[in-house]
Amino acid sequence: MLTLKLNPDLIECGTDEAGRGCLAGPVTAAAIILPDDFRNEILNDSKQLSEIKRKFLKPLLEDCSLTYGVTHIFMEEIDSINILNASILAMQKAIEQLKPQPEHIIVDGNKFKPYHNIPHTCVIKGDGKYLNIAAASVLAKTYRDEFMEKIHEEFPMYNWKKNKGYPTVEHRDAIRKYGITKYHRKSFRLLPEQFTLDLK
């Protein structure tokens, strides 16, 4: 059973990102503040949930949250500042949208940068420990998946509606066959034999 939050006495948000390891598309982050009486038997780390359960939870979380924010950081910025900095920036921009602002932030993972003067705590595998991080992970994942399904229509040969831009065998085979698109992250090693791939 997941705990609601780390600091019961504070207005605390959970934040998480999705898409960090993808070859294409944005990195997407969400931040959310849940009410103190929030309970849910299904909610867990988004990676442990089926797509059906994530889609079921998304509107429920949006409706019952005190406030939430979601941000995409796109490929050009990822290539410019690197994926770690882009992931942190996405989480900070998601937190920026929260009204009220939190008194404490808990972050999934082990890397974050101070956001204004609000204290934060990094929690390894926090999306499997705290409901507010799990909720953020579900929102980040569902919003990013929706974006990938939309751009799939533009470039169906990469099958992003299924692989969501992750480095599957199918996705890499499509890169070999068709090259790259404006949605690919050019700073990433898109193919194992990348040194032979002309990315110009």
Side-chain angles (χ1 to χ4, degrees), residues 173-188:
D173 285 346
I175 293 171
R176 285 189 191 93
K177 186 172 181 182
Y178 300 106
I180 62 168
T181 69
K182 61 186 177 182
Y183 296 113
H184 282 97
R185 302 174 184 176
K186 296 177 179 62
S187 59
F188 274 49

Side-chain angles (χ1 to χ4, degrees), residues 40-145:
N40 189 282
E41 298 299 319
I42 301 171
L43 182 59
N44 200 343
D45 166 12
S46 64
K47 295 182 289 295
Q48 305 298 321
L49 299 172
S50 67
E51 186 173 5
I52 290 169
K53 285 183 178 176
R54 289 194 299 266
K55 286 183 174 178
F56 168 77
L57 285 166
K58 176 176 175 268
L60 185 152
L61 293 170
E62 292 173 342
D63 289 345
C64 75
S65 73
L66 298 180
T67 179
Y68 71 93
V70 181
T71 299
H72 298 302
I73 299 293
F74 290 98
M75 300 65 61
E76 300 81 7
E77 194 155 10
I78 293 170
D79 290 335
S80 172
I81 65 174
N82 81 41
I83 187 60
L84 174 59
N85 287 324
S87 299
I88 293 170
L89 180 63
M91 289 189 279
Q92 291 184 336
K93 283 186 172 291
I95 295 166
E96 205 172 276
Q97 297 170 34
L98 301 180
K99 291 182 175 58
Q101 284 283 280
E103 298 170 335
H104 186 259
I105 300 161
I106 56 173
V107 184
D108 184 55
N110 62 357
K111 293 279 195 299
F112 195 65
K113 294 177 182 176
Y115 171 78
H116 298 319
N117 293 316
I118 302 172
H120 70 267
T121 304
C122 292
V123 184
I124 306 271
K125 297 186 178 174
D127 47 6
K129 297 174 183 174
Y130 295 100
L131 287 171
N132 56 6
I133 299 181
S137 80
V138 168
L139 291 183
K141 174 70 174 157
T142 51
Y143 272 86
R144 188 181 185 281
D145 284 358

